[in-house]
Amino acid sequence: MMRSLWTAASGMRAQQSNVDTIAHNLSNVNTIGYKTEQASFKSLLYQNLQSTSTNNAGEDKPVPAQVGLGTRIAAVTSQFSQGNLLASTNPLNVAMDGDGFFQVRNMDGEILYTRDGSFAASPMPNNQGNLLCTGDGYPVLDANGNMIIFPTEELSTNVRIDEWGRMGFEGDDGNTDYLRDANGEPIQFGIVQFNNPAGLEKVGSNNYRMTVASGDPVAERGNANLMTSKVHQFYTEGSNVDVAEEMVNLIVAQRAYEMNSKAIQTTDDMMQQANNLR
């Protein structure tokens, strides 16, 4: 009977982690670029009560007798499905439609990846221009890995960003005058993809870090083997959390937690009955 106590306790621990994951999803329902997470489980070791053998008549038994010892969280996986596009009046807000990620550089010089396109322009010292950055002040990188700097004399309200992520300003003739790099090529976002985005490490503030599981980033620019992501100016990508689905998952997790608690109570009652035998 002690085995059932520990087995049910493992179920309660697993369901508590499941509820924590669901609560995290619901708390980020309005977070720009957030990707819903899903907990998955796997069984623990099995104890052999009787291995495959023969019965008294010498006939082979078809199956052994095994009993499981509970469950645990196997992984918490992010679901990178497309979120809804939310309209914005900020010309520096962009939404990613596709499998790509923006590249940003944190204060330690490390490159991180994000789906949050709610960018801003930060004035640089000595009127050197306006730096395109995230809400945390991390510089956004272009396709060459350089920071994106707008000229000081141009207003951020005149910024134009096309669907390929190329950026510039609206000229007097109504056409876009693109910012250009040292080679004369239009400056555009450095958008990358991963073979396994679920393997990215979450570092907070809507940012991800590359890992061995995710694989190396693959640049979309000039890669014919990748489906190019589209960039939409005046939009942001909303969270892909389905509130109704999360509420159903929450009810199921709560009931599973209650059943495991009931199993512990039942085991306790059985032990009490055994201790009262005379």
Side-chain angles (χ1 to χ4, degrees), residues 227-238:
M227 182 175 293
T228 304
S229 303
K230 291 185 178 181
V231 176
H232 299 277
Q233 188 182 18
F234 292 103
Y235 287 90
T236 55
E237 182 188 5

Side-chain angles (χ1 to χ4, degrees), residues 44-273:
L44 297 178
L45 294 174
Y46 282 81
Q47 182 176 357
N48 282 329
L49 302 183
Q50 183 175 343
S51 60
T52 303
S53 59
T54 57
N55 58 19
N56 293 335
E59 299 171 342
D60 290 334
K61 292 183 178 179
V63 292
Q66 293 179 299
V67 61
L69 299 179
T71 185
R72 71 176 180 90
I73 287 284
V76 178
T77 308
S78 295
Q79 307 296 320
F80 284 89
S81 59
Q82 182 68 40
N84 294 327
L85 300 187
L86 308 176
S88 171
T89 58
N90 187 344
L92 296 180
N93 283 351
V94 290
M96 183 87 70
D97 184 5
D99 298 327
F101 291 82
F102 298 108
Q103 298 183 89
V104 301
R105 182 181 292 125
N106 66 8
M107 298 304 178
D108 297 326
E110 181 184 14
I111 296 179
L112 303 177
Y113 308 91
T114 183
R115 295 279 299 191
D116 184 356
S118 55
F119 300 137
S122 176
M124 299 183 67
N126 302 322
N127 292 326
Q128 295 178 355
N130 296 309
L131 178 66
L132 186 67
C133 58
T134 66
D136 291 330
Y138 296 165
V140 182
L141 305 182
D142 63 13
N144 297 318
N146 300 319
M147 297 185 298
I148 300 173
I149 301 175
F150 296 129
T152 303
E153 62 273 9
E154 297 287 355
L155 298 176
S156 60
T157 55
N158 295 332
V159 173
R160 295 294 178 264
I161 302 174
D162 63 19
E163 64 179 5
W164 293 282
R166 300 180 302 184
M167 58 202 75
F169 298 92
E170 184 177 357
D172 296 334
D173 56 359
N175 296 323
T176 301
D177 296 330
Y178 290 109
L179 298 175
R180 298 187 180 275
D181 58 21
N183 298 322
E185 295 294 329
I187 292 178
Q188 63 185 113
F189 288 115
I191 301 175
V192 299
Q193 295 186 18
F194 293 91
N195 290 329
N196 178 30
L200 291 169
E201 179 186 355
K202 309 172 188 70
V203 295
S205 298
N206 296 344
N207 296 320
Y208 300 89
R209 179 184 289 122
M210 179 195 70
T211 66
V212 175
S214 68
D216 293 329
V218 181
E220 288 189 352
R221 184 180 183 182
N223 195 329
N225 296 323
L226 296 179
M227 182 175 293
T228 304
S229 303
K230 291 185 178 181
V231 176
H232 299 277
Q233 188 182 18
F234 292 103
Y235 287 90
T236 55
E237 182 188 5
S239 166
N240 64 351
V241 174
D242 187 331
V243 176
E245 181 180 355
E246 294 299 327
M247 292 303 297
V248 171
N249 293 339
L250 184 61
I251 293 173
V252 173
Q254 181 183 8
R255 294 294 177 262
Y257 188 90
E258 291 176 355
M259 286 187 291
N260 281 282
S261 176
K262 186 65 175 178
I264 291 179
Q265 181 180 351
T266 300
T267 302
D268 179 57
D269 292 341
M270 294 173 66
M271 295 176 65
Q272 182 178 4
Q273 292 295 328

